[in-house]
Amino acid sequence: MGDVVRVTLGEDGVAEVCLNRPERKNAWTMEMFDALAGAAEGLSRERGLRAVILCGAGGCFSSGLDLSVLQGFAADIEGLKREILTPPEGEAANRFQKPCTAWAALPVPVIAAVEGVAYGAGLQLALAADFRIAAPDARLSVMEAKWGLIPDMGISQFLPRLMRADQAKDLIMSARVVGAEEALALGLVTRLAADPVAAAREMAAELALRSPDALTAAKRLVEAGWVLPTGEGLALEARLQADILGGANQIEAVMAAMAGRAPRYR
């Protein structure tokens, strides 16, 4: 996936996916779009994967779309609509959306460590994570309105779960920049930390102590159950519980807790 996205997978099953264009504040090129989607696809095949951390090199998460990409689009609007905005046959997400939606589709927890800025595409990537840990001086913005556009990288799937519709419209229509404290109050970030990457690593290590079956089911429960009617939501949680109850990893969680030792999951 080249140098623009760096992927490392530790022995503990925690992967770090780092946007790696620090000289451009990790602005997105089309190469980065494809590299991020490819990274998610590759990690989805790692059987020992326990968690993923998304971060940016050089102390900055991402300043959003590189202006050269916008300039390239202007030369061929119809080609853009045909090749970029139209999803491949049989798929829901297009080439713009997949670098974000692919992380939400992973069955393991995904943590975004937000330093510096998360603008436009960068913020939409962070929103695709299950958790966002931001530095106290981080700045965030749904930037697309500045260019006469709407955010179109999966934000319709992520933002409604985090904030009220009027708050979302404010951010999307105004393109204003919010500080970390306001982002926390709005629900854009999970919590603040002086060193978001270190905090994300600590969180990932803690989550790795839980049954992978329970974490996968928990992620699905919230992602699907939050928008289901009452009866369907109750049925979903009962079905997910039935799938893990009495399984090897659930029994191991109980045995390890009773013995006061670290669990050894399959």
Side-chain angles (χ1 to χ4, degrees):
M1 56 199 65
D3 297 329
V4 295
V5 174
R6 188 173 66 242
V7 180
T8 58
L9 179 60
E11 293 182 0
D12 57 357
V14 176
E16 294 191 13
V17 178
C18 184
L19 281 66
N20 191 34
R21 294 188 73 215
E23 73 286 356
R24 297 288 296 169
K25 293 187 176 180
N26 300 315
W28 292 40
T29 60
M30 290 310 300
E31 181 185 6
M32 186 175 283
F33 273 86
D34 295 338
L36 278 166
E41 182 180 353
L43 288 173
S44 71
R45 296 191 291 268
E46 291 287 346
R47 295 188 63 185
L49 186 68
R50 300 305 313 278
V52 174
I53 296 170
L54 301 174
C55 59
C60 179
F61 191 72
S62 174
S63 59
L65 199 64
D66 194 289
L67 289 180
S68 64
V69 176
L70 284 175
Q71 293 165 353
F73 292 161
D76 186 10
I77 294 296
E78 292 306 314
L80 165 67
K81 294 178 181 178
R82 182 176 60 253
E83 298 176 16
I84 305 294
L85 300 184
T86 303
E89 186 73 26
E91 297 185 22
N94 63 33
R95 192 176 171 191
F96 266 11
Q97 296 161 339
K98 191 172 293 186
C100 294
T101 59
W103 301 106
L106 280 183
V108 301
V110 179
I111 309 163
V114 180
E115 301 175 285
V117 302
Y119 291 164
L123 179 55
Q124 291 189 78
L125 175 63
L127 292 175
D130 299 293
F131 311 98
R132 284 153 297 285
I133 303 177
D137 61 351
R139 291 167 293 153
L140 302 87
S141 175
V142 185
M143 189 66 75
E144 282 77 4
K146 180 179 179 180
W147 310 110
L149 299 168
I150 62 168
D152 64 342
M153 294 171 56
I155 199 169
S156 63
Q157 306 304 300
F158 310 132
L159 203 55
R161 295 185 173 95
L162 301 177
M163 62 172 48
R164 300 192 321 247
D166 61 328
Q167 295 172 321
K169 289 175 185 174
D170 172 30
L171 295 182
I172 291 171
M173 293 179 181
S174 70
R176 68 185 182 89
V177 176
V178 301
E181 290 287 353
E182 183 179 4
L184 179 64
L186 288 170
L188 280 177
V189 301
T190 310
R191 60 186 173 94
L192 306 183
D195 186 338
V197 175
R201 288 170 178 163
E202 182 179 347
M203 185 180 192
E206 291 174 354
L207 290 173
L209 296 176
R210 305 303 175 199
S211 164
D213 298 341
L215 293 182
T216 295
K219 182 167 180 173
R220 187 177 172 197
L221 173 65
V222 175
E223 292 297 320
W226 255 226
V227 295
L228 287 176
T230 301
E232 294 180 34
L234 292 172
L236 173 65
E237 66 181 61
R239 186 165 62 252
L240 292 171
Q241 189 76 300
D243 287 343
I244 61 177
L245 188 63
N249 284 335
Q250 192 265 319
I251 293 173
E252 170 60 14
V254 173
M255 298 299 291
M258 292 177 64
R261 60 170 174 79
R264 296 182 292 269
Y265 296 117
R266 294 185 181 179

